[in-house]
Amino acid sequence: QVQLMESGGGLVQAGGSLRLSCAASGHTFSNYVMGWFRRAPGKDREFVAAITWSSISWRSGTTYYEDSVKGRFTISGDNAKSTVILEMNSLKPEDTAVYYCALKSETSWVDARSEGDFNYWGQGTQVTVNS
């Protein structure tokens, strides 16, 4: 059974930084995507960032982001450990949300950005940014 375990999050002042971590267990996928989504109060869950792990060497480790977090957030990970980290800098009050780790059990040539693209989800971790 695939499980995703998130850690990190918390309360920070605007302009501050936080680090989220996620570890996936119970899978044997060799081509997969791990990413982060977030759900702000009263809004739909939205894509934040993702990293692709692939048996095609030049694709493995490629990352992509939602436009509003580019330049502020960095996603990285360890394929061997099935872990992903989201470093969040220059945080804004509008980044306040529950952040979810997600895993897509295959890769494609189109970036996976929709909830429906991902098969497995973590429980979520709260990030609150005060102004």
Side-chain angles (χ1 to χ4, degrees), residues 16-131:
S17 300
L18 283 174
R19 184 175 187 264
L20 305 181
S21 299
C22 175
S25 60
H27 79 86
T28 58
F29 309 129
S30 56
N31 297 279
Y32 62 103
V33 181
M34 289 188 75
W36 291 93
F37 284 71
R38 65 186 180 186
R39 189 196 303 272
K43 295 188 177 181
D44 293 333
R45 190 155 54 182
E46 66 173 1
F47 171 78
V48 176
I51 185 166
T52 298
W53 299 117
S54 174
S55 56
I56 303 173
S57 60
W58 63 265
R59 284 203 74 195
S60 202
T62 56
T63 60
Y64 51 99
Y65 300 87
E66 193 269 330
D67 286 347
S68 70
V69 307
K70 283 182 181 177
R72 301 189 298 122
F73 292 11
T74 302
I75 190 169
S76 61
D78 186 327
N79 185 14
K81 297 179 181 179
S82 289
T83 57
V84 63
I85 293 172
L86 186 68
E87 299 277 2
M88 304 184 293
N89 298 313
S90 301
L91 283 162
K92 304 175 181 179
E94 51 263 44
D95 294 317
T96 294
V98 177
Y99 283 70
Y100 297 89
C101 179
L103 187 149
K104 173 180 165 67
S105 59
E106 60 184 3
T107 59
S108 64
W109 294 110
V110 178
D111 291 343
R113 295 175 179 267
S114 299
E115 284 188 80
D117 292 330
F118 289 79
N119 312 86
Y120 303 97
W121 294 86
Q123 293 299 306
T125 184
Q126 178 70 45
V127 170
T128 302
V129 184
N130 283 341
S131 57

